[in-house]
Amino acid sequence: MMTMKRRIAFVCYLGVSLLLMGFGIRYYFGGELMPYHLEAIGVPWETLPETLRFMFLLFMNGVGVGFICVSAAMLVMLFVPFRRGERWADLTLPGIGLAVSGMLVVMMCSIMQHTTARPPMTMVLVTCGVLLFAAALTLLPCCRCSSGRN
């Protein structure tokens, strides 16, 4: 039986995993770049040469597959070892989520520094906060009990 703290962390990790899955699906099946990508390159999609559009979509598809795979791995960890209370999952779930989110923050900062585009940075930062909150719930000892149990 999961404690209340673990249930809350479970919901946080589930939300992040589903968000990643949604972005992965959008990136994989999308037929054109995201609006902030188009703003960053400064050229309308229709005016790009066919080969360049193909390459951009190929890169986007690759990112989409990556997001789908990370999301699927997180969901498996969440529904099996995390629910069993296995400690390694308490460390691995936020580690994977923060690695992906951290990479996105770095890339988005670079986009914002070098172009006029404004990627969805707030959403990624909130995702990082949710991951840190969930990690704190499962990794930090309980303040009200001397046994340190979560």
Side-chain angles (χ1 to χ4, degrees), residues 35-36 39-40 108-109 111-121:
Y36 73 90
E39 186 179 340
M108 288 180 175
C109 284
I111 290 169
M112 290 167 49
Q113 183 179 10
H114 295 95
T115 73
T116 59
R118 293 295 166 246
M121 179 69 86

Side-chain angles (χ1 to χ4, degrees), residues 30-52:
E32 96 177 29
L33 297 178
M34 301 293 282
Y36 73 90
H37 295 152
L38 294 170
E39 186 179 340
I41 61 174
V43 179
W45 179 249
E46 302 77 27
T47 63
L48 291 172
E50 185 66 32
T51 53
L52 198 52

Side-chain angles (χ1 to χ4, degrees), residues 107-142:
M107 292 170 67
M108 288 180 175
C109 284
S110 182
I111 290 169
M112 290 167 49
Q113 183 179 10
H114 295 95
T115 73
T116 59
R118 293 295 166 246
M121 179 69 86
T122 302
M123 181 176 56
V124 176
L125 292 175
V126 168
T127 299
C128 290
V130 169
L131 288 164
L132 290 171
F133 175 70
L137 288 174
T138 58
L139 296 172
L140 297 178
C142 178

